[in-house]
Amino acid sequence: MTDTQQHYLLIINGKSAGNPALREAVEEQRKTGMSITVRSTWEGGDAAEFAAQAVELGATRVIACGGDGTVNEVVNGLMRIAHDLRPALGIVPLGSANDFATSLGLPLEPGSALEAARHLSPSPIDVIRMTAQSGAEEAVSYYVNMTTGGFGAEITSSTPKTLKRMLGGGAYSLMGALKAWRHRSYRGTLHWGDQEQEASLLLLALGNGRQSGGGQVLAPRAKLDDGRFDVLLVKDFSSAAELPTLLSELQQFPAEGRFVRYFTASQLSVTTQQDEEPWPLTLDGEARRYEQFCVEVVPLALKVLLPEGCSLLTANDRQ
Ligand SMILES: Nc1ncnc2c1ncn2[C@@H]1O[C@H](COP(=O)(O)OP(=O)(O)OP(=O)(O)O)[C@@H](O)[C@H]1O
């Protein structure tokens, strides 16, 4: 399909709808023939609803204009559309962290990002399905970048929004340092493949992509299209004397270290121990709490507009 046959649906997080650079970019691109429909959100859930209506609105490409949470909602909306009809996803990053867009190497300025969406070709990537249980309720949701559990999740969910905006990525590290001072661990049972492990964890990361929490690279070897996600387990430490080993392992990501384990899986489930609180999780930037959850790969489920040579694709593997 040529550029002139594409129809773009821009889904903008309402808090950025007045962004002058974005308004200018839309006007500019329309002048040169880009066919664009715009929808702006009012509250949580709207972006997913708009994305789910993309085919009815005639869109061949859906551009999520917002942060990681907006991208996540748009992905969930697109996953409600049948695979063969599902429009490709593009991103104009307008959040405070923009972890997914940053790690993909997409332009971060609205004008260049919208222009790029017009010229980039779509590449299929895996999407991760999460089935979660809290009490009697079961919920299915999807993510493309990363889920963190435990300590990592608390960092993102407890960082005040205004502080996040003021400091950009830096606020996450600040909260991280404060939390580390009085951290707690999360106990549960993990199952993947034919393996089972009882764990007392400081942090769990399940990465289709590589970074979350405002630039924290927790799955450095993850690929978006390899049919697997990378798993980082960080075991709890009991005394400050163990911290140097833990921190050095966090630079190496060993398969089987004293505190750090790093491996890949296509399915993994976690059950919280009965007397424990549900695990705090962050899925692509949004906070949740689940007693029990299972993640599995839906291979090559979504086409995404990615830069040429994007290092997160297996075709561009240089290792
Ligand atoms: N009109 C609106 N005004 C304010 N908040 C909104 C509006 N529409 C949606 N939201 C909320 O915005 C959140 C998503 O924000 P988004 O991810 O775009 O930015 P962010 O949190 O700054 O990004 P990042 O995760 O990259 O730091 C969702 O929780 C959603 O409920």
Side-chain angles (χ1 to χ4, degrees):
M1 207 182 275
T2 64
D3 176 54
T4 49
Q5 291 170 309
Q6 303 284 0
H7 183 69
Y8 293 81
L9 169 62
L10 263 58
I11 300 178
I12 304 177
N13 185 326
K15 61 186 172 187
S16 300
N19 183 307
L22 181 65
R23 286 206 161 259
E24 206 174 297
V26 171
E27 200 176 316
E28 250 338 270
Q29 295 303 324
R30 274 182 171 158
K31 269 193 213 150
T32 55
M34 190 176 185
S35 166
I36 302 175
T37 296
V38 179
R39 291 284 179 275
S40 171
T41 66
W42 174 255
E43 60 198 347
D46 287 354
E49 281 306 316
F50 295 150
Q53 293 159 13
V55 176
E56 286 77 18
L57 292 166
T60 53
R61 292 179 167 183
V62 175
I63 313 295
C65 306
D68 292 301
T70 301
V71 173
N72 180 260
E73 274 204 33
V74 169
V75 167
N76 276 276
L78 290 174
M79 290 302 285
R80 282 155 54 183
I81 300 173
H83 180 266
D84 293 349
L85 300 175
R86 196 171 293 151
L89 168 75
I91 302 169
V92 171
L94 292 171
S96 43
N98 304 313
D99 276 301
F100 192 52
T102 307
S103 61
L104 296 176
L106 285 168
L108 298 177
E109 192 275 319
S112 348
L114 189 59
E115 160 114 50
R118 206 171 162 178
H119 301 293
L120 297 175
S121 43
S123 307
I125 70 161
D126 302 331
V127 172
I128 312 296
R129 180 195 290 125
M130 168 167 292
T131 310
Q133 250 152 3
S134 193
E137 272 178 50
E138 188 176 274
V140 173
S141 57
Y142 297 90
Y143 70 92
V144 281
N145 187 31
M146 187 175 287
T147 283
T148 54
F151 173 65
E154 284 198 348
I155 300 172
T156 40
S157 62
S158 59
T159 309
K161 287 265 170 183
T162 40
L163 188 63
K164 267 168 75 179
R165 279 216 170 269
M166 276 166 58
L167 301 179
Y172 289 108
S173 330
L174 176 68
M175 284 308 276
L178 293 175
K179 280 276 176 189
W181 198 245
R182 47 191 184 85
H183 82 276
R184 54 157 299 173
S185 57
Y186 291 89
R187 288 182 300 146
T189 308
L190 281 72
H191 286 271
W192 69 96
D194 56 2
Q195 307 224 36
E196 178 179 310
Q197 186 183 326
E198 296 277 337
S200 176
L201 296 180
L202 196 57
L203 170 67
L204 162 75
L206 304 167
N208 192 39
R210 292 187 181 167
Q211 69 177 53
S212 79
Q216 297 175 11
V217 178
L218 299 175
R221 301 193 274 273
K223 295 279 177 185
L224 291 170
D225 59 347
D226 59 354
R228 304 185 70 78
F229 51 85
D230 285 24
V231 182
L232 170 71
L233 306 180
V234 184
K235 283 178 232 163
D236 197 11
F237 59 95
S238 48
S239 87
E242 294 173 329
L243 265 177
T245 313
L246 191 154
L247 291 175
S248 118
E249 286 187 6
L250 267 176
Q251 313 269 308
Q252 320 284 329
F253 297 91
E256 184 83 67
R258 206 169 128 213
F259 294 99
V260 173
R261 272 194 87 171
Y262 190 89
F263 54 93
T264 69
S266 56
Q267 189 190 42
L268 181 140
S269 65
V270 174
T271 311
T272 308
Q273 245 166 42
Q274 254 174 7
D275 53 342
E276 292 271 314
E277 281 174 46
W279 281 36
L281 296 178
T282 300
L283 269 78
D284 285 358
E286 297 298 299
R288 320 264 167 95
R289 267 182 188 272
Y290 296 131
E291 285 158 13
Q292 206 177 334
F293 58 92
C294 174
V295 290
E296 62 196 312
V297 176
V298 189
L300 307 180
L302 184 66
K303 292 196 191 84
V304 181
L305 303 170
L306 298 178
E308 196 143 318
C310 175
S311 62
L312 274 85
L313 295 179
T314 46
N316 303 319
D317 218 333
R318 272 179 233 105
Q319 287 164 18

